[in-house]
Amino acid sequence: MTIAVDFDGTIVTHEYPNIGKELPFATDTLKLLMKEGHQLILWSVREGELLDQAIDWCRERGVEFYAINKDYPEETLGNNNHFSRKIKADIFIDDRNIGGIPDWGTIYRMISHRLTLTDIIRERMGEVLQHEHPKKKHWWQL
């Protein structure tokens, strides 16, 4: 899959224009996704030197992106007559999602097991309900 990943607030805490602290397991998860054959696109509002700093920060931690703020590395206005700022990706990982960003372990499970957030919530609700309210036996059950 092609996965577009935001930087500030997603890989690191949101301290733009500075680089925040890494969110737990962010780069480990990204490296695992790359190892599994997914193409990662860095999708950030950063430009120029601030973007270079983010790229270098990721590279130092072993995360190399397939493309940065574009669909593929060689993309330019000249070779893509349908050029758009909107990235074409299968999945977007961004802290600005409705409801925020799940933890990186949940993100990995969603991608690797093709689960939706609804699947995860139902799974977790089932665990809570099962532990808090065990099913009562009816008179016809032994």
Side-chain angles (χ1 to χ4, degrees):
M1 283 192 284
T2 301
I3 303 170
V5 185
D6 180 35
F7 184 72
D8 296 290
T10 302
I11 297 173
V12 298
T13 56
H14 206 302
E15 297 181 28
Y16 182 86
N18 298 319
I19 294 179
K21 294 180 182 175
E22 180 179 355
L23 291 175
F25 306 107
T27 57
D28 288 339
T29 303
L30 293 172
K31 288 188 286 188
L32 186 55
L33 291 170
M34 289 184 324
K35 183 178 177 183
E36 292 175 358
H38 299 286
Q39 292 181 322
L40 304 181
I41 297 175
L42 181 60
W43 179 49
S44 176
V45 70
R46 288 175 176 257
E47 296 176 321
E49 186 178 324
L50 294 176
L51 179 59
D52 291 340
Q53 290 171 1
I55 294 167
D56 291 343
W57 186 94
C58 291
R59 186 173 288 136
E60 289 168 6
R61 287 153 184 83
V63 177
E64 291 282 343
F65 293 96
Y66 166 72
I68 297 159
N69 286 342
K70 53 179 116 177
D71 294 324
Y72 51 93
E74 306 83 19
E75 182 180 42
T76 64
L77 285 171
N79 67 9
N80 183 355
N81 60 353
H82 301 291
F83 182 82
S84 169
R85 285 185 40 102
K86 185 170 182 166
I87 299 293
K88 295 166 196 73
D90 299 306
I91 295 174
F92 292 83
I93 302 174
D94 191 330
D95 64 310
R96 301 297 175 131
N97 294 326
I98 293 175
I101 185 168
D103 64 85
W104 279 96
T106 299
I107 290 169
Y108 178 75
R109 284 195 61 230
M110 291 172 71
I111 294 169
S112 65
H113 299 290
R114 298 190 183 272
L115 299 172
T116 66
L117 191 52
T118 301
D119 295 332
I120 299 289
I121 291 168
R122 284 183 179 150
E123 178 184 273
R124 290 183 182 169
M125 291 299 293
E127 290 174 9
V128 170
L129 293 174
Q130 191 175 20
H131 294 319
E132 287 185 6
H133 306 290
K135 283 189 169 184
K136 292 182 181 178
K137 289 189 175 185
H138 295 283
W139 61 270
W140 62 85
Q141 296 174 319
L142 296 176

